[in-house]
Amino acid sequence: MTLPSHAEIVVIGGGIIGCSTAYHLARDHKADVVLLEQGRLTSGSTWHAAGLVGQLRSSASITRVLKYSVDLYKRLDAETGLATGWKMTGCLRLATNQDRWTEYRRLATTAKSFGMEMHLISPEEVKRMWPLMEVDDLVGASWLPTDGQASPSDITQSLAKGARMHGAKLFEEVRVTGFEMKDGRITAVKTNKGDIACEKVVNCAGQWARQVGAMAGINVPLQPVKHQYIITEKITGLATDAPTIRDPDRRTYFKEEVGGLVMGGYEPNPIAWTTGDVPNDWEFRLFDDDFDHFEQHMVQAIERIPALGQVGVKQMINGPESFTPDGNFILGLAPECHNMFVGAGFNAFGIASGGGAGWVLAQWVVDGEAPLDLWVVDIRRFSDLHRDRQWVCDRTLEAYGKHYTIGFPHEEHESGRPRIVSPLYERLKAHRAVFGSKLGWERPNWFAPEGMEAKDVYSMGRQNWFGPVGDEHAHVREAVGIFDQSSFAKYEMTGPDALKALDWICANDVNKPVGRLTYTQLLNTRGGIEADLTVARLADEKFYIVTGTGFRTHDLAWIRDHIGADLDATLTDVTEDFGTLSLMGPHARNVLSAVTDVDVSNAAFPFGHVREISIAGHKVRALRVTYVGELGWELHVPIEATGEIFDALMAAGDPWGIRPVGYRALESLRLEKGYRAWGSDITPNDTPQEAGLGWAVKLKKNTDFLGRRALEELNGATPKKRFAGFTVNDPDIVLVGRETILRDGEPVGYLTSGGYGYTVGRPVGYGYVRNADGVSDDFLASGEYELVVAMERTKAKIHLEPLYDPANAKVKG
């Protein structure tokens, strides 16, 4: 065996993800691909995977990825001649309580929103489909007929054969030992059998992906966890086409295999393997059986299927699986290296994801940008916090333990907190703040009134914070509130070519005089929205960029990757240099004028401007901008002076009743104003025209910018989808997003975000209305609308204007 000296793309890892990526690179893109596997194909964690294939996720894009896997597994054997073991048995998910049943009703609505079939069935129907099951404790079950199971090793070998048929070269027993790097790029892959020069590298090394990444200076935050299941002897009366079962209230799953059952589960006290390096020689190996730890699953499983108690265990599998801190897998271009892509951390659903993940990752590698909205799995959702191995381990074990718990809306993680706190943390705690966590930062979600416990109580209906958040919301509408938004990500772009760089990257016109700020989107080549942020011009060659907490790594990498190589412009992350206090509400000007000598009147300091002002003896960057729809300023203050400036504002605001306000009120305020949230309302799948943000795009200017060509091609055509607001009259309905939108009884889309508008006194949602023949104003206005919420239809009113406009304090009805 001689390795080639050069390849266009080197894929590292011969499990299902690596083989799928190599197959798609070769089949779809005719790429020159070499795949390297340190042992033999499937020898990491693929070979011992249980092989359940479910498709429904809360993201439309990830559901599409999983549906693609199923379509591929159905037809792959015809192409390669190697069977995949695909069986479309369908999947039953059992519910034993009302909260779980509500979750399923919501999931069934989501499934319909995404064009998938999902039925809610009675315990009697479950018993008919699975006679060996005890159903006395069931409220019901959900039934996904197109889910199924497959043989992980067979699929992988079939993909590997397909990859070879399309020209990829696969090499076993070749270990990657390092990389040659130049200017933040990999120029060659070093191995124990020689070096391969290459243009791009795809790290699909499974539980080794972290240490392979580390050789190139990149962080892949995953944690191997011991995951056990058993395979039983044959069980009398078990049908070979029995549906797979997920029994989340008992934390277990089952699938039929050769007349017996595969049974495993997700325990609340999982066991991590190592926070160090995984041994390289861990090939086709397992841990010793741990029946003591597994007993909790055995007890639950026998109560569900008594026949299990009468049958022998043929084999116990105790192997490591890669899990991540948020339970989502890791895809995409690593922010620390310009040409290493990652596909890893599949949280024990690598078989379900494998086909689709390889398809989108191959496209991403070739184009340099994701083909769909893959933000929930994008490696750039992580930050330097995720370099802490112990923190990653603790959070990952919490996520593993919650694999089958009920997914309550707005649920927060508990492990590894508090991690990053703003200088106001103790002050806000004294105001009875209930904190949430975003990318490690503790942020006040709401403030508990005296006499009420300062903690979230989760439920499927209205949660305990609903009333207090309403009070905060009203306070910002009527008086003045102060938000601690110090966790905002903040960058500076400086240099002679700073404007030129931003002019290309930003869809809106940032070529404005010093002292102006611009809301802008950053677009991909398809015209989709990759980010939205504000750019303030502080000097001719200095710009200040502010974006959301969770998007820090993503937006920094996107901007940096699109600065022309010949440009003299420097991008610096200054997040920790500045605290951010947002002063919002009709009395914001009164408070601000009391603490600064600068004229903050509307004439002297209009909307969309930035000024350097002095508060309590400190220089402050004051940005006249709002995300709540009220008069207000974002005050970017030296981080060490945040407490002093907060105290000064609170003292000056006392006559106006100033009070701190949390992120849940911010959310309801922005919903009423119709402001879009990136990641939900606007994504890489959506263009500014579709999102109703065409006004923020400089198409009339004769300047080229990233995404312009795609928008010009669409210009003039009626969009096939349009963003709109919806309200329903029943105040008890809880909108959380993904509820189906019906127009004249037909599904036309789903909500991208939902909540409650306290000023308008109604539940509020936003989403895209779709129509293949185009969505005109007339089409939107002429329909009768309903929303499907937890499988129940409710009348809805469409809104194309903000529900509340403080400029004339008018509530739209």
Side-chain angles (χ1 to χ4, degrees), residues 105-237:
R105 284 172 30 218
R106 288 188 174 279
L107 278 170
T109 305
T110 299
K112 287 207 165 36
S113 292
F114 297 168
M116 276 185 73
E117 200 183 339
M118 179 170 171
H119 306 280
L120 298 177
I121 64 174
S122 68
E124 294 72 30
E125 289 171 285
V126 173
K127 185 75 174 173
R128 275 201 297 278
M129 292 168 79
W130 239 94
L132 296 177
M133 194 193 304
E134 287 295 321
V135 298
D136 292 352
D137 62 337
L138 294 188
V139 178
S142 73
W143 167 240
L144 280 106
T146 58
D147 279 0
Q149 60 190 73
S151 161
S153 294
D154 290 349
I155 295 176
T156 306
Q157 295 294 352
S158 190
L159 286 165
K161 185 176 179 187
R164 290 189 186 101
M165 285 165 61
H166 292 289
K169 303 180 186 75
L170 281 63
F171 297 92
E172 297 180 301
E173 310 288 349
V174 178
R175 180 169 299 150
V176 172
T177 56
F179 301 99
E180 275 179 31
M181 311 274 297
K182 188 182 178 189
D183 300 329
R185 298 183 78 81
I186 296 168
T187 55
V189 178
K190 298 174 164 190
T191 81
N192 58 347
K193 304 280 176 71
D195 298 353
I196 306 176
C198 63
E199 277 79 69
K200 294 175 180 176
V201 173
V202 193
N203 175 1
C204 300
Q207 57 208 0
W208 291 272
R210 188 183 68 80
Q211 56 223 60
V212 167
M215 296 176 195
I218 77 155
N219 182 39
V220 184
L222 49 81
Q223 174 61 48
V225 180
K226 297 179 179 183
H227 187 71
Q228 295 192 93
Y229 65 86
I230 57 166
I231 304 168
T232 73
E233 302 286 0
K234 285 195 171 175
I235 296 175
T236 310

Side-chain angles (χ1 to χ4, degrees), residues 34-35 47 121 137 151 201 218 222 311-312 340 368 386 399 446 448 534 550 573 578 610 623 629 632 655 694 749 798:
V34 166
L35 180 144
W47 72 277
I121 64 174
D137 62 337
S151 161
V201 173
I218 77 155
L222 49 81
V311 70
M340 180 183 271
H386 296 89
W446 60 286
T534 55
D573 187 328
F578 294 93
V610 56
L623 282 60
I798 190 166

Side-chain angles (χ1 to χ4, degrees), residues 23 75-83 157-159 161-163 165:
Y23 166 81
R75 57 184 162 77
L76 191 61
D77 56 346
E79 181 187 335
T80 65
L82 289 182
Q157 295 294 352
S158 190
L159 286 165
K161 185 176 179 187
M165 285 165 61

Side-chain angles (χ1 to χ4, degrees), residues 86 88 199 202 216 275 518 572 592 631 635 683 703 762 785:
W86 167 250
M88 195 172 87
E199 277 79 69
V202 193
T275 55
T518 308
T572 313
L592 192 57
L631 170 69
L635 304 172
T683 75
T703 339
R762 269 168 293 167
Y785 291 91

Side-chain angles (χ1 to χ4, degrees), residues 15 23 54 64 127 199 214 287 339 391 409 450 666 687 751:
Y23 166 81
R64 189 173 155 197
K127 185 75 174 173
E199 277 79 69
F287 304 111
N339 62 342
W391 189 94
E450 289 296 337
L666 185 77
T687 68
L751 297 188

Side-chain angles (χ1 to χ4, degrees), residues 671-685:
L671 283 169
E672 288 186 339
K673 185 62 178 142
Y675 288 133
R676 283 67 160 157
W678 191 83
S680 51
D681 303 324
I682 48 176
T683 75
N685 291 347

Side-chain angles (χ1 to χ4, degrees), residues 193-380:
K193 304 280 176 71
D195 298 353
I196 306 176
C198 63
E199 277 79 69
K200 294 175 180 176
V201 173
V202 193
N203 175 1
C204 300
Q207 57 208 0
W208 291 272
R210 188 183 68 80
Q211 56 223 60
V212 167
M215 296 176 195
I218 77 155
N219 182 39
V220 184
L222 49 81
Q223 174 61 48
V225 180
K226 297 179 179 183
H227 187 71
Q228 295 192 93
Y229 65 86
I230 57 166
I231 304 168
T232 73
E233 302 286 0
K234 285 195 171 175
I235 296 175
T236 310
L238 179 62
T240 54
D241 60 351
T244 58
I245 299 171
R246 287 178 173 82
D247 189 2
D249 296 324
R250 293 180 182 271
R251 297 195 284 264
T252 50
Y253 61 81
F254 305 85
K255 72 162 189 166
E256 187 277 337
E257 188 160 298
V258 214
L261 277 179
V262 166
M263 185 279 285
Y266 291 85
E267 60 278 12
N269 56 337
I271 300 172
W273 184 13
T274 174
T275 55
D277 284 355
V278 173
N280 285 325
D281 60 355
W282 193 269
E283 185 184 353
F284 293 118
R285 280 175 62 185
L286 295 169
F287 304 111
D288 292 339
D289 297 345
D290 187 347
F291 276 105
D292 288 346
H293 192 70
F294 194 72
E295 186 186 8
Q296 56 188 308
H297 295 317
M298 219 50 228
V299 170
Q300 296 288 339
I302 290 168
E303 285 181 7
R304 177 65 66 213
I305 301 171
L308 270 174
Q310 316 302 315
V311 70
V313 173
K314 195 157 58 175
Q315 191 183 7
M316 178 173 237
I317 306 280
N318 185 6
E321 298 267 8
S322 290
F323 286 83
T324 65
D326 60 4
N328 286 319
F329 51 89
I330 303 174
L331 282 190
L333 178 59
E336 306 94 334
C337 174
H338 296 303
N339 62 342
M340 180 183 271
F341 294 79
V342 178
F346 279 84
N347 300 282
F349 62 98
I351 310 311
S353 321
W359 162 57
V360 291
L361 187 54
Q363 190 80 48
W364 203 333
V365 170
V366 169
D367 293 345
E369 63 182 43
L372 339 156
D373 169 26
L374 296 170
W375 168 240
V376 294
V377 297
D378 193 321
I379 190 168
R380 294 168 298 180

Side-chain angles (χ1 to χ4, degrees), residues 722-749:
R722 292 256 306 270
F723 191 75
F726 296 89
T727 55
V728 296
N729 285 331
D730 182 347
D732 293 329
I733 283 177
V734 178
L735 300 179
V736 294
R738 295 177 299 282
E739 292 85 359
T740 309
I741 302 166
L742 302 178
R743 179 186 177 275
D744 296 340
E746 292 299 313
V748 289

